[in-house]
Amino acid sequence: MPDTPRGLYIYGDVGTGKTTTMDLFYDTIPTPHKRRIHFHAFMLDVHSRINTFKRTHRATDDPVPTIARELAARAYVLCFDEFQVTDIADAMVLRRLVTELFRNGVVVVTTSNRHPDELYKNGIQRESFLPCIELLKRRCEVVSLDSGTDYRKIARETETVYFSPITADTNKVLHALVGLASGNAPVERDVEVRFLGRALVVPVAANGVARFSFAGLCREAHSAADYIELAKHYHTLILTDVPVMDMSNRNEARRFITLIDALYESHAVLIMSSEDDIYSLFTGKCEVDGFRAETAKIAGPVESAHLSEVVTEDRFNALAYAGEEEVFAFQRAISRLVEMSSRRWIISGRNRILAENAMRQEQSADEPMRSAA
């Protein structure tokens, strides 16, 4: 492998400044050949490139070296936010892609909530992913940024953007907020956002504001690609009727977490009604043991026309690990939701109408202090 500088792997708990540290590095590194991307979006890009390659090459051709060369030609410094490996498809691609990126002289700087040794913990066929972990540790300086303080939750001026519990009055407020956030623009219904050969239907849209129910956006089978595309097209999302979730709703919880990540990365505004306050939306921690008990009950032959596998110990561990991962990821989502309710977030956000309204409120709050002085 070429003698390139070592990268940096920054890990720690939620809200400790990992992303801010990486962004400072990215903003100050004196080269145009750099790329900063959320890890969800990066893996979507990689899988898209693999599919394109397969359409134009023989089935026996290996796409990974070609994709690594393409990525390295665009940027020799890659900055990933939220490096995580939770499924076997990503693990099998990454174990070779990481090797090829380093072989092409790429320097990787990444953040993660987990030490490299904890990546894909208890995942299916994890032993084949271990060389990738060892390579990351050799080619990156591993740094813990874990002060014990979630800086996103430090007291700050907030805006009222989350409403609970769900009542008729709450629904009226959210209806009115569509008008406020859009500048009372005309409302369109069932707007199609087309991408990747398919369409995402937005039930209500107006001047960069989209309104969805939780059922429509998180119970239906949407992917990270859908949420990233939604955040590209709309600077404000109004999400209604978010329930309290536990491990029996883990698919919905995963989608909700992925949605928050996409909105956070694009600096979108989220206005939401929920069954309870944001700190109580996920009870996964107290449900994980129950989830493990349920998985233990099915640890035997699977009766299906399509499945004849036995639920192995690896499969059991993977299911239990998924519950642990969701609890951890939801903690990050709550931390981000707190930051996204801050006045600073609204003022610096993409919705100029709400930003100007927040600035006026800030000036009004400062007026009594100036008068007293």
Side-chain angles (χ1 to χ4, degrees):
M1 289 191 181
D3 186 22
T4 53
R6 293 183 77 193
L8 190 62
Y9 185 107
I10 309 168
Y11 76 97
D13 211 343
V14 298
T16 54
K18 301 183 299 295
T19 299
T20 299
T21 301
M22 187 186 72
D23 286 346
L24 286 170
F25 167 80
Y26 180 83
D27 291 340
T28 55
I29 188 170
T31 177
H33 303 292
K34 57 185 178 180
R35 185 183 183 193
R36 192 268 193 213
I37 186 169
H38 191 275
F39 198 66
H40 271 317
F42 176 74
M43 290 310 300
L44 285 170
D45 179 34
V46 168
H47 286 298
S48 175
R49 289 171 185 263
I50 290 172
N51 290 334
T52 300
F53 183 94
K54 287 180 176 178
R55 287 198 298 269
T56 56
H57 292 73
R58 293 174 302 179
T60 55
D61 290 343
D62 184 2
V64 173
T66 299
I67 291 169
R69 286 194 297 271
E70 291 172 353
L71 293 169
R74 175 179 172 182
Y76 57 77
V77 178
L78 274 178
C79 294
F80 299 128
D81 194 24
E82 303 291 352
F83 192 106
Q84 57 181 319
V85 187
T86 57
D87 65 69
I88 190 170
D90 284 354
M92 295 304 101
V93 171
L94 282 168
R95 66 176 181 171
R96 298 186 55 249
L97 180 62
V98 168
T99 300
E100 292 297 328
L101 287 173
F102 286 135
R103 187 169 286 150
N104 281 274
V106 172
V107 176
V108 171
V109 177
T110 186
T111 70
S112 180
N113 290 326
R114 293 186 173 274
H115 187 280
D117 289 336
E118 297 290 306
L119 290 172
Y120 198 45
K121 182 180 177 183
N122 293 327
I124 298 170
Q125 298 181 24
R126 186 176 188 259
E127 64 280 357
S128 64
F129 186 70
L130 294 178
C132 178
I133 292 175
E134 293 305 314
L135 183 59
L136 276 171
K137 291 193 293 185
R138 285 200 308 273
R139 302 294 299 185
C140 297
E141 187 78 24
V142 178
V143 176
S144 172
L145 195 64
D146 212 349
S147 65
T149 300
D150 185 345
Y151 292 102
R152 296 189 191 119
K153 293 182 179 178
I154 292 175
R156 64 187 75 192
E157 291 294 325
T158 61
E159 295 292 298
T160 305
V161 290
Y162 308 141
F163 301 86
S164 65
I166 299 166
T167 64
D169 288 340
T170 300
N171 290 332
K172 288 177 184 176
V173 169
L174 262 68
H175 182 76
L177 282 171
V178 173
L180 173 64
S182 67
N184 292 312
V187 171
E188 299 177 86
R189 297 190 181 277
D190 297 330
V191 178
E192 288 190 347
V193 175
R194 295 197 164 273
F195 64 103
L196 299 177
R198 64 180 190 271
L200 174 66
V201 178
V202 182
V204 176
N207 191 25
V209 177
R211 175 170 172 160
F212 279 87
S213 68
F214 177 88
L217 203 51
C218 298
R219 284 208 177 98
E220 294 181 8
H222 291 295
S223 68
D226 297 324
Y227 301 140
I228 291 169
E229 201 66 27
L230 181 67
K232 284 180 187 175
H233 283 79
Y234 295 95
H235 53 61
T236 304
L237 173 66
I238 296 180
L239 185 65
T240 66
D241 305 318
V242 178
V244 172
M245 290 163 271
D246 57 30
M247 286 310 301
S248 66
N249 316 112
R250 59 187 174 276
N251 290 331
E252 292 91 332
R254 286 172 185 157
R255 294 184 193 115
F256 182 71
I257 291 164
T258 304
L259 172 64
I260 299 305
D261 285 344
L263 297 174
Y264 185 87
E265 281 296 307
S266 68
H267 213 111
V269 174
L270 173 65
I271 299 171
M272 180 174 73
S273 68
S274 57
E275 185 180 352
D276 209 334
D277 65 69
I278 60 173
Y279 299 100
S280 306
L281 283 181
F282 191 65
T283 60
K285 192 169 183 64
C286 62
E287 296 291 335
V288 170
D289 288 341
F291 174 53
R292 290 178 63 97
E294 286 300 309
T295 58
K297 289 177 184 177
I298 63 168
V302 179
E303 297 178 1
S304 167
H306 304 288
L307 297 174
S308 58
E309 67 176 4
V310 173
V311 180
T312 63
E313 183 178 355
D314 280 349
R315 179 64 175 159
F316 171 81
N317 287 338
L319 289 167
Y321 173 65
E324 179 185 332
E325 280 292 292
E326 278 139 12
V327 171
F328 201 88
F330 219 96
Q331 291 172 350
R332 183 185 74 242
I334 291 170
S335 177
R336 289 186 163 184
L337 284 168
V338 171
E339 183 178 359
M340 291 166 72
S341 69
S342 69
R343 185 170 292 166
R344 185 176 67 183
W345 180 273
I346 304 296
I347 289 173
S348 62
R350 292 158 51 203
N351 187 321
R352 299 320 306 161
I353 296 170
L354 292 181
E356 290 168 7
N357 185 61
M359 283 189 283
R360 283 194 296 271
Q361 291 184 16
E362 190 169 72
Q363 290 164 1
S364 297
D366 288 343
E367 195 63 41
M369 289 187 286
R370 285 196 294 268
S371 300

